[in-house]
Amino acid sequence: MRLRTHRLIGKRGLVAAAMSLMLLVTGCGGQSSETQAPPQSNTETPAQSNTASDQQPYTVKHAMGETTLPGTPQRVVMLTTQGVETLIALGVKPVGAVGSFTDPTSFYDFVKPELEGVTVVGSESQPSLEAIAALQPDLILGMKMRQEQIYQQLSAIAPTVFVEEPRGDWKDNFMLFAEAVNKKEEGEKVLADWNKRVEEFKVKAGDKLNTEVSIVRFMPGRVRIYYNDTFSGTILKDLGIPRPEAQNKEEFAAEVTKERIPEMEGDILFYFTYETGDGEGSKLEQEWTNDSLWKNLNVVKNNKAFKVDDTIWNTSGGVIAANMVLDELEKYIIGE
């Protein structure tokens, strides 16, 4: 993976500077100056650089309105897995974050090494208000689609900024979170690196850029054909890779029966399976991929149907995963 992440290196200051930082952090979290300092966490956070820009208040417009922060936050809690990737890419280590969809008590394996010491605060669909409050954050980042009902409660704990939903162009959510943690310039640099990779891919692909890519997902009890308004769909759109005519829709996805397997035809087919621990997703995958309609797809006959990781291609949905998807597209389409 070629994504460069920029880490902030904290400077240890004098005791007076540390006390000033402590007061600023508690002020950001909506605590009074008389409130005791938050207990030490086993998560180290970058020390504030004490530059004028870091201490200037700023307002962020987001899915729930506007939120004003008194300065660059130091104790961030992230309530979306997509956003966890954003913080890592920006060099910001949260004090707390939601776990994975497959195991809410832990983080996805591909980001876990970067989150040592970070407290798991539940899942996207059920974050723990108690765990969040115990961390005394000065900023909470979340998502309207998942957490709208507890927005007011979160806002009572700390300034809270929400993106709308995880679907569609991941770069929009990335930049909103970057703005919220006062790292807009760093965010623009990360996306500039992404755009550079995209242009390099187009040049290397040449005529292979005309390869039509089909996307299918197996889930417990249902199967979906993914269209353009999805994480993987937006990546293909960025790269200029066409979709089969039946899938070239500015929509999210269609839940299909086996009779619609012919709509899965393409020059290359990528499919992934979401598991909930009971194996039902894999059972459905096996049932469908053994069906005569699946086996009669030209893309299957040509050995161009590839199983890829659901977490990377769909579920997590952030900038690190996007770069990993691009790595695989280089492998399968360009041959690198």
Side-chain angles (χ1 to χ4, degrees):
M1 183 184 69
R2 303 179 186 178
L3 173 67
R4 302 185 184 95
T5 56
H6 306 284
R7 299 181 179 279
L8 298 180
I9 303 176
K11 297 180 180 179
R12 299 185 180 278
L14 298 174
V15 173
M19 291 299 294
S20 298
L21 173 59
M22 192 179 298
L23 290 173
L24 177 60
V25 170
T26 55
C28 288
Q31 311 289 328
S32 71
S33 59
E34 297 177 0
T35 303
Q36 289 185 350
Q40 288 189 351
S41 168
N42 59 353
T43 301
E44 293 184 3
T45 53
Q48 192 168 13
S49 62
N50 291 324
T51 63
S53 61
D54 280 342
Q55 299 188 40
Q56 288 294 322
Y58 58 99
T59 299
V60 180
K61 295 182 179 180
H62 58 99
M64 300 299 291
E66 296 185 357
T67 296
T68 298
L69 291 95
T72 301
Q74 301 298 305
R75 298 181 62 82
V76 180
V77 169
M78 174 56 75
L79 303 183
T80 80
T81 58
Q82 184 186 65
V84 167
E85 295 184 50
T86 296
L87 295 185
I88 292 173
L90 295 173
V92 176
K93 192 171 186 178
V95 293
V98 291
S100 71
F101 280 93
T102 52
D103 180 7
T105 66
S106 183
F107 303 114
Y108 286 122
D109 288 342
F110 77 103
V111 294
K112 191 178 294 185
E114 306 291 338
L115 299 173
E116 184 177 353
V118 176
T119 300
V120 179
V121 295
S123 64
E124 278 196 18
S125 57
Q126 196 170 3
S128 168
L129 292 169
E130 182 178 4
I132 295 167
L135 293 171
Q136 297 193 17
D138 50 17
L139 175 63
I140 300 169
L141 300 172
M143 181 186 302
K144 182 178 180 181
M145 179 179 174
R146 305 269 193 231
Q147 300 131 10
E148 181 177 9
Q149 298 304 315
I150 59 170
Y151 176 77
Q152 295 302 327
Q153 292 164 284
L154 292 170
S155 296
I157 297 171
T160 301
V161 171
F162 274 7
V163 294
E164 187 73 34
E165 62 176 0
R167 299 170 182 170
D169 197 334
W170 59 271
K171 297 187 292 296
D172 294 336
N173 288 353
F174 176 89
M175 282 308 302
L176 179 55
F177 283 149
E179 181 183 356
V181 296
N182 206 17
K183 293 195 175 296
K184 185 176 180 180
E185 290 185 7
E186 290 88 337
E188 290 172 345
K189 174 61 169 59
V190 171
L191 292 189
D193 289 344
W194 166 260
N195 290 332
K196 181 181 179 182
R197 285 202 68 190
V198 167
E199 292 309 311
E200 289 174 347
F201 178 94
K202 291 178 179 179
V203 171
K204 293 176 182 177
D207 292 340
K208 294 179 181 178
L209 200 61
N210 296 320
T211 303
E212 292 187 354
V213 173
S214 173
I215 303 289
V216 176
R217 190 189 196 198
F218 297 101
M219 307 169 68
R222 51 188 167 171
V223 178
R224 287 175 174 169
I225 297 176
Y226 273 30
Y227 298 146
N228 294 333
D229 192 23
T230 57
F231 177 62
S232 51
T234 58
I235 292 173
L236 295 175
K237 188 184 295 185
D238 269 3
L239 296 170
I241 295 174
R243 305 297 303 279
E245 184 178 353
Q247 299 180 27
N248 190 26
K249 301 178 182 180
E250 300 307 313
E251 301 172 15
F252 173 59
E255 290 191 11
V256 298
T257 58
K258 288 181 181 178
E259 288 75 14
R260 294 180 66 179
I261 286 178
E263 295 178 33
M264 299 176 180
E265 188 67 86
D267 296 323
I268 289 183
L269 188 157
F270 295 107
Y271 65 96
F272 35 87
T273 301
Y274 178 72
E275 284 293 4
T276 54
D278 55 9
E280 291 303 314
S282 292
K283 289 178 184 177
L284 194 63
E285 172 202 322
Q286 292 172 10
E287 177 189 332
W288 279 55
T289 55
N290 283 315
D291 190 272
S292 60
L293 285 173
W294 175 276
K295 291 182 176 181
N296 282 329
L297 290 171
N298 289 325
V299 69
V300 174
K301 292 178 180 179
N302 294 332
N303 296 315
K304 291 293 185 178
F306 302 106
K307 182 176 182 178
V308 290
D309 190 283
D310 182 87
T311 297
I312 303 303
W313 278 70
N314 184 75
T315 310
S316 188
V319 60
I320 298 175
N323 276 270
M324 295 174 77
V325 170
L326 186 46
D327 289 341
E328 293 200 71
L329 289 171
E330 288 176 343
K331 170 185 172 183
Y332 288 113
I333 293 180
I334 300 177
E336 292 190 350

